Amino acid sequence: MTESDVINAYALRYLEDRARDGTGQGARVTDCVAYPGQDREIWLHVVCGPPGDATRQYEYEVIRLGQFVRGWSPQSEGIAPGSGPRGPET
């Protein structure tokens, strides 16, 4: 699994999350970027949202196998693993 695979998978999840939250209009997979994880166990920190609009920003932390660990959305304090669409797993 490559970084691109993970970014693309979570970009699709972002579109699904935005649609679920009623803010899907205008959402694009190109709204997403990824950074190296800050915690030792986090491989990638994927951040998605329209540029300059923190009110529609979603974040996903992913381990090396592509498994979702934790995330954040504008509507919650955090997204629990197992809630909503699943991320890629190998």
Side-chain angles (χ1 to χ4, degrees):
M1 177 167 290
T2 68
E3 290 179 7
S4 293
D5 293 335
V6 171
I7 295 165
N8 290 331
Y10 283 91
L12 294 175
R13 178 174 174 163
Y14 160 72
L15 296 179
E16 293 171 354
D17 288 347
R18 287 275 307 269
R20 180 201 64 225
D21 293 342
T23 62
Q25 186 172 344
R28 296 181 179 88
V29 294
T30 55
D31 291 343
C32 298
V33 296
Y35 304 97
Q38 296 295 315
D39 297 338
R40 182 178 172 172
E41 71 273 4
I42 302 300
W43 178 37
L44 292 173
H45 184 102
V46 182
V47 180
C48 302
D53 187 354
T55 66
R56 289 185 282 170
Q57 184 168 305
Y58 292 70
E59 301 181 36
Y60 310 93
E61 291 191 333
V62 184
I63 64 171
R64 182 67 180 97
L65 296 175
Q67 184 178 10
F68 176 73
V69 175
R70 61 184 166 256
W72 299 265
S73 76
Q75 289 75 28
S76 71
E77 291 292 320
I79 303 168
S83 67
R86 295 180 60 92
E89 294 183 23
T90 58

